[in-house]
Amino acid sequence: MTFYQELQLNQAGSKNLLKKSETLKEKLYHMWVYLVKVAVTMAFCFFFVSIFSILFGKENSIVGVVVLLCLMVFRNADLGIHIGQSTMLLALFFVIMTVCPHLANQFSPVLGMLLNIAALAVLILFGCHNPFMFNQSTLVLGYLLLYGYDVTGKSYQMRLVGMALGAALTCFVFYRNHKNRTYKRNLKDLIQEFDITSSRTKWQICQILCVPIVLCIAELCNMPRAMWAGIAAMSAILPFMEDMHYRVRKRIVGNIAGVICFTVLYFLLPSSIYAYIGILGGIGVGFSAQYGWQAVFNTFGALAIAAETYGLQGAVSLRVIQNVFGVVFALAFCVIFYWFMSKKKESEMTVHAE
């Protein structure tokens, strides 16, 4: 494996190489490559988001984050169907992420929920057909980030330009990287494969319904940062229930641990470098291969931003409440939904037997 190829590995792949190292020299080499990868990735991310912030305004730096996520994911991940149709779908996804979160914020929580359900239905049914590629962690997360950091007026006009540029970049990279692959399926096949009895479709429906409902409830309860609850719910909803239980436990424990670590750093460090705690969290995520540790370090960035608005106590309280509510509600929702579907299937089988 070349140096460049090793740089392309994810955290789990790099750590697997470290475990398999037979000599100290080999282990030190792989560790050095891993450190270079994290440093380069962090530098590139910081530079990329900073450019978007400069071009489209600080309030639109989140656009840089969303575009960066899409670029990094879809340069390797595909949608499993014809490349031309996939590219057009990606462009459509950007339109949805640009328009629908903004419109939903203009409506009442209930009407906004209905719009969010419709928008997520398109993103998930056509963009997350393979749940094990975790495209929902890009598309739905991007949608929720833009929903949570909504802007108006001139700033929204600049957001439109930024997202258009992001769509063009993502579609170009996606098409270039996947154009030589052969796909036997097309958009029509995705529609035909929709089956309410399959675990995949049930998982998709849970994502489509549960995440907007969580947002709606959080907003009706006047909880700021409702997107945190939505993101927590999205990350916890998986096709298999045992995996969901694992995610819920790790999300709750990881967030509480992250809150404790952030609070300690908040009191130990001078106020002039509070903003860098978020960068420290990003570095931690870069070294984390397990979901639990990722939940710990993801908390740093979220709290670093929220503490400026709500203060340390308010930000910490919101983070814990929103995340616990999001994952617990998602688990309860999916348990009830799966139970209802199983009862419906039993009822149908009884009718057919008679």
Side-chain angles (χ1 to χ4, degrees), residues 227-333:
M227 67 171 178
W228 282 352
I231 292 171
M234 176 273 295
S235 70
I237 300 173
L238 297 173
F240 302 107
M241 196 55 64
E242 57 268 24
D243 294 333
M244 279 197 65
H245 284 98
Y246 171 84
R247 280 288 181 99
V248 170
R249 290 196 305 270
K250 293 298 182 179
R251 184 83 184 190
I252 293 175
V253 174
N255 269 275
I256 293 175
V259 163
I260 293 172
C261 293
F262 179 88
T263 303
V264 171
L265 291 173
Y266 194 88
F267 283 110
L268 289 178
L269 299 175
S271 58
S272 58
I273 61 173
Y274 283 166
Y276 295 100
I277 300 179
I279 297 176
L280 178 63
I283 295 173
V285 172
F287 282 104
S288 303
Q290 297 182 349
Y291 179 78
W293 284 107
Q294 291 173 358
V296 172
F297 290 112
N298 274 326
T299 302
F300 285 21
L303 288 178
I305 297 173
E308 296 179 5
T309 304
Y310 305 105
L312 177 63
Q313 184 176 352
V316 165
S317 300
L318 280 174
R319 184 69 182 178
V320 174
I321 292 171
Q322 296 279 36
N323 274 269
V324 172
F325 165 65
V327 295
V328 171
F329 183 91
L331 180 61
F333 182 93

